[in-house]
């Protein structure tokens, strides 16, 4: 009901070529508007048409949402593609340096499973940019991401050293989403070192953060940390909910 079907792509391209540049942009803007009214629309489709319409800020937002959806579905190549596209438009879209660095850290988070070196490069770039402009919160977020990459390559002591500095900074900034990740990886580190006293502290704080964010995976991680702590102390463990 919202489109046309062509027997051959040549017909489609021919029709497009007959439209002026301004008219094509207006058509793309109208398509993006209509797609936003449809619940099942993919964010990447809205982003594509917003980009063609010249609404680059909306395109960046759409590509970022599409990347989040792809990451949740473990579609890493699609998440990486969408984030790279958003970053390629970010400067022209006049996104703030902070927003651009948020996209870079999201890209690093996606790359950590497939290309650690590329992820490290993105984090290093954010660290440099944040230090130059004196952006303490972005610096803390980048260092948290750096710690995660260290954990993924087996450098758990180095990871924990960074997290112990970063967690209070994230607490002070009330950045609960980044804090949740930092606490989770700190829990992994303390668990691997059999430091059950610290693991119990992390479990209690992560339980609070998980309740604030209402994220089941965080609740599960907190429950796992708490059960491990109780088992190490010879007490009954908590049954999974």
């Amino acid at each position: 009901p919202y489109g046309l079907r062509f027997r051959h792509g040549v017909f489609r391209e021919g029709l497009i070529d007959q439209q002026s540049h301004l008219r094509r942009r207006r058509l793309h803007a109208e398509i993006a508007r209509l797609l936003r009214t449809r619940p099942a629309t993919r964010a990447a489709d809205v982003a594509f048409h917003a980009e063609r319409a010249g609404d680059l800020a909306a395109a960046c937002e759409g590509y970022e949402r599409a990347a989040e959806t792809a990451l949740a579905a473990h579609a890493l190549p699609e998440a990486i593609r969408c984030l790279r596209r958003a970053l390629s438009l970010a400067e022209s879209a006049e996104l703030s340096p902070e927003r651009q660095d948020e996209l870079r850290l999201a890209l690093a988070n996606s790359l950590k499973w497939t290309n650690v070196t590329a992820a490290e490069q993105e984090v290093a770039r954010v660290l440099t940019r944040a230090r130059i402009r004196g952006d303490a919160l972005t610096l803390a977020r980048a260092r948290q991401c750096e710690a995660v990459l260290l954990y993924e390559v087996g450098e758990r002591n180095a990871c924990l050293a960074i997290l112990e500095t970063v967690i209070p900074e994230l607490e002070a900034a009330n950045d609960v989403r980044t804090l949740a990740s930092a606490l989770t990886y700190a829990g992994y580190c303390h668990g691997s070192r059999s430091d059950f006293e610290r693991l119990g502290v992390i479990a209690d704080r992560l339980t609070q953060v998980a309740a604030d964010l209402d994220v089941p995976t965080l609740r599960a991680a907190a429950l796992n940390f708490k059960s491990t702590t109780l088992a190490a102390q010879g007490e009954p463990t908590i049954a999974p909910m």
Side-chain angles (χ1 to χ4, degrees):
Y2 292 96
L4 296 173
R5 293 184 181 274
F6 297 89
R7 284 176 174 264
H8 197 287
V10 171
F11 299 139
R12 174 181 173 276
E13 296 301 322
L15 181 60
I16 290 173
D17 289 341
Q18 293 177 26
Q19 312 302 313
S20 69
H21 177 68
L22 180 58
R23 178 165 172 72
R24 286 200 298 269
R25 289 184 66 157
R26 287 174 176 170
L27 287 172
H28 281 296
E30 181 63 14
I31 292 170
R33 187 190 68 79
L34 288 172
L35 288 175
R36 290 189 185 99
T37 68
R38 302 172 65 184
T41 296
R42 297 189 321 137
D45 293 336
V46 176
F48 171 83
H49 288 289
E51 180 182 351
R52 296 302 186 274
D55 189 351
L56 300 186
C60 287
E61 182 182 347
Y63 284 125
E64 184 179 19
R65 288 203 312 272
E68 291 170 353
T69 300
L71 194 59
H74 306 290
L76 292 177
E78 176 66 7
I80 291 168
R81 184 191 70 80
C82 288
L83 287 167
R84 288 196 188 281
R85 190 59 191 158
L87 273 170
S88 73
L89 301 174
E91 189 169 341
S92 297
E94 299 182 346
L95 296 190
S96 68
E98 293 79 8
R99 280 291 292 127
Q100 292 182 41
D101 285 341
E102 284 181 19
L103 291 172
R104 287 191 177 90
L105 292 177
L107 176 59
N109 186 55
S110 297
L111 286 167
K112 71 185 179 186
W113 308 111
T114 58
N115 191 336
V116 173
T117 300
E120 290 171 342
Q121 290 171 349
E122 293 295 340
V123 171
R125 188 174 182 184
V126 175
L127 286 168
T128 299
R129 287 163 53 91
R131 287 186 178 115
I132 289 172
R133 64 177 185 267
D135 184 347
L137 179 55
T138 299
L139 186 60
R141 289 169 172 168
R143 294 190 69 221
Q144 186 274 335
C145 195
E146 179 184 25
V148 169
L149 295 177
L150 287 169
Y151 181 90
E152 296 299 338
V153 297
E155 297 288 342
R156 295 178 180 177
N157 289 337
C159 169
L160 187 57
I162 292 174
L163 291 177
E164 287 179 341
T165 300
V166 168
I167 286 174
E169 296 173 357
L170 296 173
E171 290 269 20
N174 197 32
D175 182 0
V176 290
R177 290 194 175 277
T178 311
L179 175 63
S181 177
L183 289 170
T184 300
Y185 276 89
Y188 294 154
C189 291
H190 287 304
S192 68
R193 299 171 65 172
S194 300
D195 187 347
F196 300 114
E197 182 178 352
R198 289 295 301 156
L199 183 61
V201 173
I202 293 291
D204 290 341
R205 184 64 185 104
L206 187 58
T207 298
Q208 296 170 350
V209 172
D212 291 339
L213 294 174
D214 192 25
V215 177
T217 54
L218 290 178
R219 287 198 295 269
L223 182 61
N224 179 56
F225 293 160
K226 191 66 175 179
S227 294
T228 300
T229 301
L230 292 173
Q233 297 170 345
E235 299 181 21
T237 59
I238 303 173
M241 297 179 65

